[in-house]
């Protein structure tokens, strides 16, 4: 049996950022295309564009959820979210217990 390795905060933040940007891009592209369709032929945007926008939104939501649940100090469990937002980079030391976060993954 394979043991599941816990994901370190650095790796997790990288994954979440990728998910966040691809979600935002998908949503923007879908919104843009929906706007184009509205000006082209009245109010008939195809269903898959709405689904695409929904999928982008879900992926944004999901990555924030993962980040807020799992982005925490591996030593004391303190949240590393910057006031409810996703931080652009992790601090070098845990704000709560002061241990170095640089060598934990
Ligand atoms: Zn800590």
């Amino acid at each position: 049996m394979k043991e599941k390795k816990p994901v370190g905060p650095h790796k997790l933040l990288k994954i979440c950022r990728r998910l966040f940007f691809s979600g935002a891009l998908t949503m923007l592209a879908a919104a843009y295309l929906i706007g184009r369709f509205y000006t082209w032929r009245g109010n008939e945007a195809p269903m898959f564009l709405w689904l695409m926008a929904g999928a982008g939104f879900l992926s944004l939501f999901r990555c924030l959820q993962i980040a807020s649940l799992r982005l925490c100090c591996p030593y004391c469990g303190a949240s590393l979210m910057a006031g409810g937002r996703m931080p652009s980079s992790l601090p070098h030391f845990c704000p709560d217990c002061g241990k170095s976060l640089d060598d934990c993954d």
Side-chain angles (χ1 to χ4, degrees), residues 21-32 34 52-58 60:
F21 282 116
S22 57
L25 238 116
T26 309
M27 215 164 73
L28 277 177
Y32 172 77
I34 287 170
M52 193 173 143
F57 179 77
L58 267 180
L60 278 187

Side-chain angles (χ1 to χ4, degrees), residues 73-78 94-99 101:
C73 170
Y75 305 105
C76 69
C94 170
D96 221 48
C97 66
K99 280 189 176 141
L101 299 173

Side-chain angles (χ1 to χ4, degrees), residues 19-100:
L19 206 65
F20 185 85
F21 282 116
S22 57
L25 238 116
T26 309
M27 215 164 73
L28 277 177
Y32 172 77
L33 287 172
I34 287 170
R36 292 291 293 250
F37 265 100
Y38 268 102
T39 50
W40 281 343
R41 44 171 111 166
N43 51 6
E44 264 185 62
M47 191 62 197
F48 78 88
L49 283 181
W50 291 106
L51 289 177
M52 193 173 143
F57 179 77
L58 267 180
S59 124
L60 278 187
F61 184 75
R62 194 77 193 110
C63 96
L64 285 178
Q65 195 186 32
I66 292 171
S68 61
L69 284 177
R70 296 187 48 199
L71 199 61
C72 56
C73 170
Y75 305 105
C76 69
S79 173
L80 298 175
M81 295 282 280
R85 289 185 311 117
M86 224 186 352
S88 52
S89 64
L90 284 178
H92 293 294
F93 301 96
C94 170
D96 221 48
C97 66
K99 280 189 176 141
S100 171

